[in-house]
Amino acid sequence: IREGEIHGFVGSNGAGKSTTIRIILGLLKKSSGQAELFSDDPWKNSVSLHSRLAYVPGEVSFWQNLTGGEIIDLLAETRGGISESRLKNLLAKFELDPSKKFRSYSKGNRQKVALVAALAADVELYIFDEPTSGLDPLMEEVFQNEVRDLKKSGKTILLSSHILSEVESLADRVTIIRAGQNAGDYSMKELREKHDDLAKLFLSKYENSADASDEFAKKAE
């Protein structure tokens, strides 16, 4: 992933996207190949490396008895704190009440807690794995605008998503993964010139897989 870019990462369910991200984060130990984060070993040095990044998974699970605000503050402490003005701004944009217990939040609001905590962090790398899961279209737009602002400020973003239109709208480059293998890296300029759009390119990589096409169709619906 090049510094200062938004890099899309797409593939069907089970292709290996989340597994790859967990290896990059040092949450899983690789069984083969090489994995480096900031030119370092993420398995051996995950604690120090995590202070330089923010991560949002598609399935968010936090402490049920803490409020959203308490969770955000706790996560902020692991990165040396956050700007209170930045946090206040994000809470307003995402329409999140930080005084409620995490257990009382809807799926969408649980996702907002993780997003606000990540976006409020001043780090080098942001890793989003299905970040808009559970969000309504208005909040998806808020997220996309925030990601664009991060890029403008020189940050690096890895975005894994089943929403291909979201990836195509945001990414500078995209990697397609199939069955644990890299099925191609493309700049968005190259993609549009040669393949019209990401959806057509994605389906072409899975043209021999009916399951992948069915999965994509379900997501599109």
Side-chain angles (χ1 to χ4, degrees):
I1 303 170
R2 298 169 185 168
E3 186 176 353
E5 75 172 6
I6 301 173
H7 192 116
F9 191 39
V10 299
S12 67
N13 284 347
K17 301 185 304 298
S18 293
T19 297
T20 301
I21 288 173
R22 288 171 185 146
I23 290 171
I24 292 170
L25 290 168
L27 302 177
L28 287 178
K29 188 174 184 180
K30 62 181 174 59
S31 56
S32 63
Q34 299 297 319
E36 286 189 354
L37 180 61
F38 299 119
S39 300
D40 206 343
D41 186 330
W43 179 254
K44 294 179 179 178
N45 300 303
S46 61
V47 174
S48 61
L49 291 173
H50 280 202
S51 66
R52 302 172 64 183
L53 64 86
Y55 165 58
V56 177
E59 293 294 329
V60 173
S61 180
F62 287 126
W63 304 273
Q64 298 293 312
N65 290 324
L66 294 184
T67 66
E70 289 171 335
I71 291 168
I72 291 169
D73 288 342
L74 183 58
L75 294 174
E77 288 178 12
T78 67
R79 306 187 187 100
I82 54 177
S83 164
E84 288 301 321
S85 61
R86 168 76 171 151
L87 174 57
K88 184 177 180 180
N89 183 261
L90 286 167
L91 289 171
K93 287 182 177 180
F94 281 98
E95 300 177 1
L96 178 67
D97 182 353
S99 66
K100 291 185 177 181
K101 297 284 188 182
F102 187 76
R103 65 171 179 267
S104 70
Y105 284 132
S106 65
K107 175 176 174 54
N109 281 327
R110 292 183 178 199
Q111 200 68 21
K112 290 179 188 179
V113 172
L115 285 171
V116 168
L119 292 167
D122 184 14
V123 292
E124 299 167 64
L125 172 65
Y126 297 80
I127 299 178
F128 299 113
D129 188 5
E130 304 295 342
T132 56
S133 175
L135 297 188
D136 63 45
L138 291 175
M139 292 298 106
E140 286 182 15
E141 183 67 21
V142 171
F143 167 76
Q144 290 182 27
N145 288 335
E146 291 301 316
V147 169
R148 291 187 183 100
D149 287 343
L150 288 176
K151 181 193 170 182
K152 288 178 184 176
S153 65
K155 305 300 185 180
T156 304
I157 299 101
L158 175 62
L159 172 62
S160 175
S161 176
H162 277 122
I163 305 174
L164 300 186
S165 59
E166 179 176 72
V167 175
E168 186 167 4
S169 171
L170 292 172
D172 300 295
R173 290 194 302 133
V174 63
T175 295
I176 299 176
I177 186 173
R178 177 179 178 180
Q181 300 294 319
N182 185 341
D185 292 298
Y186 304 86
S187 70
M188 297 311 295
K189 182 176 183 295
E190 175 189 10
L191 188 151
R192 293 187 180 105
E193 288 176 350
K194 297 182 179 180
H195 304 280
D196 293 332
D197 58 37
L198 180 56
K200 290 182 180 179
L201 175 60
F202 179 87
L203 289 175
S204 74
K205 295 297 181 180
Y206 282 83
E207 60 187 1
N208 296 322
S209 172
D211 291 341
S213 297
D214 290 343
E215 180 62 30
F216 176 73
K218 290 177 184 177
K219 294 293 180 181
E221 291 173 1

